[in-house]
Amino acid sequence: MAANSPSPLPTFDCVILAAGAGRRMGGIVKQFETVNGAEIYQHAIAAFAKHEQCGQIILVVPQAELAMLQQRHKGEPLTIVSGGQDRHHSVQAGLAALAGQHAPYIAIHDAARPFTPQKVIDDALAALGQGARAVIPVLPVADTIKVIHQDQQIVSHTLDRNQLGRVQTPQFFDADTLQELHHNLQMDESRQNGIVLDDASLAEEAGIDVAVIAGDEQLAKVTWPSDLETLQTTHAHVLKQGQTMTAEYRTGTGFDVHRFTEGDGPIMICGIAVPHDKALDAHSDGDVGIHALCDAIFGALCDGDIGSHFPPSDDKWKDAASDQFLRYAIDKVGSRGARVTHIDVTILCELPKIGPVRDDMRARLAEITGLSLDRVSVKATTTERLGFTGRGEGIAAQAAATICFDTGDSA
Ligand code: CTP
Ligand code: MG
């Protein structure tokens, strides 16, 4: 599915599971939390979308989020379906959504594991190529593992950790084999309420050898609340080192102007209602800061401008709050497998004074974009009473946005 892919036929399709409720997170639906400018499930998709042998991607989501996510990802090469009660029901919903000519292999992946190294995918495909029908990434166990009597909280016995492995996803399968395993599970009345911990366990039960490849700590799953924080630091660390990933950085610029009209403020600038003795002439809320910023982001993506995504001719956007435009632009970046690393807005006007509200604007832009405050800059200048801004006829803003595409593992 990767753009400009030279490979004629995809080798594998991918089902990404994002329909869980996150009970161990205390109800935070973890896959929709933002990390480094994109939601966790978007990072999960991006790792597969950029792999040149990846065909269809099916995203399985909670029923309640289905319509919103389908709207958000409209036009993208992504099929979104709703999941089921347990993880294996969600897998089955994903498998059922694979359309038309499917690839010979299928990857099943937890959206709660946002960072999949390309090497893991390549290793799994190599094992399948050598005849394996099921392949899973596994990490060694460092700690001694004991079996505990749950009711008494005392130790029952100790396991031999050399025989144990920590299993991750993506799990890869021969496509027909996996479809058959799940079909058999669905047909088996006695197992309707049983627990299926992962897909490989179905292969094990059926007597199919499950091949093991090296897992990766980067594949860690967000399970407990503290995992979110760890993830933020781990990912930042990976990017800072610049050793495990190579990256392409792009910067886009944007510019916007709105005319002042008679009327009383406040006027919206960078998501903040700023008191002013004039109103704005605009189709939406006329937030020049956010509009310039959206154009900067679309510029970095080479994906049109704010007018092409939200046509002023469409009444839907009349008086619209501009924060939704910015969220949309950020989502576009995520769905292209990239993330925003820095935004910088300059407001040009004589009045209102920006200084007193500048920090509020930074905080608001950080909130809308999911970026940390140290990646968000707001500046202002007058134009020395020159030109239309100098005469107080209107307000202008220019912006720059930097986005980063991870382009794969470096050697
Ligand atoms: N998952 C799913 N459908 C379900 C249950 C889980 O698609 N009915 C997905 C989750 O969204 C997650 C992955 O399977 O990406 C692994 O599951 P887990 O870590 O257990 O996530 P949750 O089920 O959401 O969390 P918890 O078990 O703490 O409730
Ligand atoms: Mg679960």
Side-chain angles (χ1 to χ4, degrees), residues 173-192:
F173 300 87
D174 167 72
D176 293 337
T177 303
L178 186 67
Q179 292 278 13
E180 190 184 334
L181 288 169
H182 273 285
H183 176 76
N184 292 345
L185 178 66
Q186 270 173 310
M187 292 297 112
D188 187 346
E189 298 258 320
S190 68
R191 298 199 55 185
Q192 289 314 306

Side-chain angles (χ1 to χ4, degrees), residues 20-24 30 87 221:
R23 282 183 205 91
R24 285 170 287 180
K30 55 200 181 186
R87 185 182 181 281
K221 180 159 71 72

Side-chain angles (χ1 to χ4, degrees), residues 47-65:
F48 289 90
K50 72 184 179 199
H51 195 283
E52 62 175 17
Q53 292 178 63
C54 184
Q56 300 177 54
I57 298 184
I58 314 290
L59 178 69
V60 189
V61 302
Q63 172 66 40
E65 309 297 334

Side-chain angles (χ1 to χ4, degrees), residues 3-234:
N4 308 321
S5 166
S7 83
L9 283 175
T11 310
F12 71 101
D13 297 318
C14 182
V15 172
I16 297 188
L17 302 170
R23 282 183 205 91
R24 285 170 287 180
M25 292 286 294
I28 294 176
V29 190
K30 55 200 181 186
Q31 57 272 32
F32 302 120
E33 287 294 297
T34 296
V35 175
N36 266 3
E39 291 178 27
I40 283 181
Y41 81 95
Q42 294 177 310
H43 289 292
I45 293 172
F48 289 90
K50 72 184 179 199
H51 195 283
E52 62 175 17
Q53 292 178 63
C54 184
Q56 300 177 54
I57 298 184
I58 314 290
L59 178 69
V60 189
V61 302
Q63 172 66 40
E65 309 297 334
L66 182 66
M68 181 277 287
L69 289 166
Q70 282 176 332
Q71 178 62 28
R72 179 190 278 182
H73 293 284
K74 212 159 131 191
E76 292 171 24
L78 180 68
T79 303
I80 309 181
V81 296
S82 65
Q85 172 84 18
D86 297 307
R87 185 182 181 281
H88 66 276
H89 295 124
S90 296
V91 175
Q92 287 162 3
L95 293 178
L98 283 170
Q101 193 183 15
H102 61 73
Y105 307 132
I106 294 178
I108 306 290
H109 184 58
D110 296 336
R113 302 178 192 271
F115 306 120
T116 303
Q118 300 289 290
K119 182 173 185 313
V120 171
I121 301 176
D122 292 338
D123 288 354
L125 293 176
L128 290 164
Q130 285 162 17
R133 292 166 71 194
V135 184
I136 59 173
V138 176
L139 282 177
V141 172
D143 297 322
T144 297
I145 308 281
K146 293 183 189 290
V147 176
I148 314 284
H149 284 300
Q150 286 302 319
D151 43 349
Q152 297 154 22
Q153 283 298 301
I154 56 167
V155 171
S156 162
H157 58 281
T158 303
L159 299 177
D160 176 3
R161 71 168 174 238
N162 293 323
Q163 290 189 22
L164 301 175
R166 289 188 286 143
V167 175
Q168 304 179 310
T169 74
Q171 301 192 345
F172 281 74
F173 300 87
D174 167 72
D176 293 337
T177 303
L178 186 67
Q179 292 278 13
E180 190 184 334
L181 288 169
H182 273 285
H183 176 76
N184 292 345
L185 178 66
Q186 270 173 310
M187 292 297 112
D188 187 346
E189 298 258 320
S190 68
R191 298 199 55 185
Q192 289 314 306
N193 299 316
I195 294 174
V196 180
L197 286 176
D198 68 353
D199 302 279
S201 59
L202 296 176
E204 292 153 35
E205 286 168 22
I208 295 169
D209 282 343
V210 177
V212 168
I213 55 164
D216 194 305
E217 294 292 356
Q218 267 194 64
L219 275 170
K221 180 159 71 72
V222 179
T223 303
W224 311 101
S226 63
D227 293 339
L228 261 184
E229 212 173 303
T230 311
L231 185 67
Q232 298 271 15
T233 14
T234 312

